[in-house]
Amino acid sequence: QRARIPPSELPCLALVGCQRHDDGSLTNNIRYLRKITSSRLMQQLNMSNDQQASLESSPTSIQKEVRKVVYEQEETLLFPTTESTDSQALRIFVAGDKSSVGKSSICLGLLGSFMNMGYPPESLAYIKPATQSEETQLIEVFCEKHAIKCVPIGPLVYYRGFTRAFLAGEVPESSGELLQKCGDAVDRAARGKQVVLIDGVGFPAVGSICGTSNAHVAKACGYPIVSTDNSLRRQRKAMGVLLVGGSGVGAAVDSYNLNATYFMHNHVPVLGAVFNKLSVEGFYSLENCREQVSRYFDQYQPQARPFGFVPLYPAIAKGPEAIDNVQDYIQIFQTQVDVSGIREEALRIRSRLATDLDSIVAVEAPEKASTPKTQKKARTEIEQSAILAGAAPSA
């Protein structure tokens, strides 16, 4: 409540937005940023341009403090968009054909490539709306270094005990509510951006037991429909999915077909694929796999395409020195992956969806039979019980 009362000393900074309620109504919301005192504010306002530039580059700058406060508060604030689908940030969902195939490293390569193509860092965003791991990833360090908007842990976390607690009705949110939170989080990350990468979790069907598979999350995080009323406020237009596959020929193609079918069955378009972590020599070398896999797509799936084949690059594995090798990795990535092609295909799908009413999807979870009401439990209680029972890190 104190944040809603103006401070006694002026000038001051305030965060103003509006909040949407369950009935669709909106109310104004204002929060005064008391941590930034009037004296500090006046000090910066009176600085020369050179002094302000120097201050903004320091870890204690007002600009960074304001950004931090906005990110903290935006969970409860809504900034309605008036953009048409064609003018909204380009959204690309990056999904893997299995866990640990390298989705995040592909996202890292894409972000670095977009920067090399001329996109300012502040025009890009990365978000992982659903996750099984809450450990710090290299892409988070990269985004922080370059001031790219980054949400490494979104609203849906498959923590220990989550699945069984969800099926028992003990998780506070329903499937639909979790999907709505994912969509809202992506909308916030996309605000004012040109390109947003949405990182998937595990393989496409992960989360399906809770009605929150990657396909459901991708639909929930698609382009919001601009409407003057609330009748379409939970409807979206699907974005394109980039599938990340592994090495090999037969296994790589078979896995792509299986996982692409899963998304398309759920009315989510697939852009194509990038095959990752390929050896540079041997029978399954990058060049051999590129030749054979490309031949398959040319003959049997000309409407789809492999956008690239990325070599295994151990230098960006875990470790404090990994961030020092990122630029070399990005250079390699950009020579092996048709990033412009991925962008153009994503733009084509966005443009097609802008006029294709059949692409409009209602963001709804699969129907669930009614179950007896169960007392809801907090995450700490659910996770502690699962740990004591011997649950794996994500179960």
Side-chain angles (χ1 to χ4, degrees):
Q1 293 298 323
R2 186 167 179 265
R4 302 178 187 276
I5 302 174
S8 57
E9 295 184 7
L10 299 177
C12 66
L13 290 178
L15 175 64
V16 182
C18 56
Q19 189 168 8
R20 174 178 285 162
H21 303 284
D22 292 337
D23 61 1
S25 62
L26 300 174
T27 57
N28 292 331
N29 199 325
I30 182 168
R31 297 171 188 267
Y32 294 95
L33 311 187
R34 291 175 170 271
K35 291 183 179 181
I36 302 174
T37 64
S38 59
S39 59
R40 284 189 60 204
L41 189 57
M42 286 299 298
Q43 182 183 13
Q44 180 158 349
L45 290 174
N46 291 328
M47 285 182 176
S48 66
N49 291 338
D50 290 342
Q51 288 175 317
Q52 288 191 22
S54 175
L55 181 61
E56 289 183 356
S57 66
S58 72
T60 58
S61 71
I62 288 179
Q63 181 184 15
K64 290 189 176 181
E65 288 192 34
V66 170
R67 183 188 304 161
K68 181 176 183 294
V69 173
V70 170
Y71 290 173
E72 289 174 349
Q73 300 296 343
E74 66 183 359
E75 189 71 33
T76 59
L77 293 174
L78 170 70
F79 297 82
T81 178
T82 57
E83 299 174 309
S84 66
T85 304
D86 262 347
S87 63
Q88 292 179 29
L90 183 65
R91 302 184 182 202
I92 301 173
F93 192 96
V94 180
D97 67 358
K98 57 181 174 292
S99 297
S100 302
V101 74
K103 296 181 296 296
S104 295
S105 64
I106 294 299
C107 288
L108 176 62
L110 288 172
L111 287 175
S113 298
F114 283 132
M115 288 171 60
N116 289 341
M117 291 165 61
Y119 284 90
E122 61 271 18
S123 72
L124 305 172
Y126 166 87
I127 179 171
K128 194 174 180 73
T131 187
Q132 293 174 309
S133 172
E134 295 176 281
E135 295 181 0
T136 300
Q137 303 294 324
L138 178 60
I139 192 167
E140 182 180 355
V141 179
F142 175 80
C143 288
E144 183 178 352
K145 179 179 179 181
H146 294 279
I148 295 173
K149 176 65 183 289
C150 179
V151 185
I153 301 174
L156 177 52
V157 179
Y158 297 115
Y159 53 82
R160 278 182 281 194
F162 178 89
T163 300
R164 298 189 188 192
F166 183 89
L167 294 176
E170 297 171 347
V171 173
E173 301 93 347
S174 66
S175 300
E177 289 169 335
L178 290 169
L179 292 174
Q180 182 71 35
K181 286 186 174 183
C182 289
D184 290 344
V186 172
D187 290 345
R188 289 192 296 270
R191 202 162 50 236
K193 307 302 179 184
Q194 295 185 55
V195 180
V196 180
L197 298 183
I198 299 98
D199 197 349
V201 54
F203 51 91
V206 164
S208 61
I209 190 171
C210 302
T212 55
S213 73
N214 280 269
H216 291 104
V217 172
K219 285 199 295 185
C221 299
Y223 299 101
I225 295 175
V226 178
S227 176
T228 56
D229 56 37
N230 290 317
S231 60
L232 295 176
R233 68 188 181 94
R234 293 200 67 205
Q235 290 186 312
R236 293 173 180 265
K237 295 178 180 178
M239 65 180 131
V241 171
L242 178 67
L243 275 170
V244 180
S247 62
V249 176
V253 169
D254 293 346
S255 185
Y256 170 84
N257 287 329
L258 174 66
N259 291 292
T261 301
Y262 185 84
F263 279 107
M264 290 186 288
H265 173 74
N266 284 281
H267 309 290
V268 180
V270 177
L271 303 174
V274 171
F275 296 92
N276 194 29
K277 297 184 178 180
L278 279 75
S279 174
V280 295
E281 56 186 17
F283 187 71
Y284 292 105
S285 69
L286 186 151
E287 290 304 324
N288 286 341
C289 291
R290 187 207 309 273
E291 179 183 356
Q292 300 302 323
V293 172
S294 297
R295 181 176 297 172
Y296 163 80
F297 278 94
D298 289 341
Q299 293 180 9
Y300 297 101
Q301 291 208 51
Q303 77 285 358
R305 58 176 294 195
F307 289 104
F309 298 80
V310 183
L312 181 66
Y313 196 74
I316 59 168
K318 292 182 179 180
E321 69 284 349
I323 189 64
D324 299 329
N325 301 311
V326 166
Q327 290 304 323
D328 289 339
Y329 168 74
I330 292 172
Q331 293 298 325
I332 294 172
F333 183 92
Q334 208 164 356
T335 62
Q336 299 293 336
V337 178
D338 182 7
V339 179
S340 294
I342 294 172
R343 174 184 174 277
E344 291 306 312
E345 183 64 14
L347 284 170
R348 187 189 68 80
I349 286 180
R350 186 184 70 174
S351 178
R352 174 173 61 84
L353 296 177
T355 57
D356 182 6
L357 295 180
D358 291 335
S359 68
I360 298 175
V361 293
V363 182
E364 297 178 354
E367 292 186 7
K368 178 182 178 182
S370 58
T371 55
K373 288 189 176 180
T374 308
Q375 183 178 0
K376 305 300 182 183
K377 296 181 180 180
R379 170 179 173 172
T380 52
E381 183 180 358
I382 294 172
E383 196 164 19
Q384 186 60 34
S385 297
I387 291 172
L388 292 175
S394 60

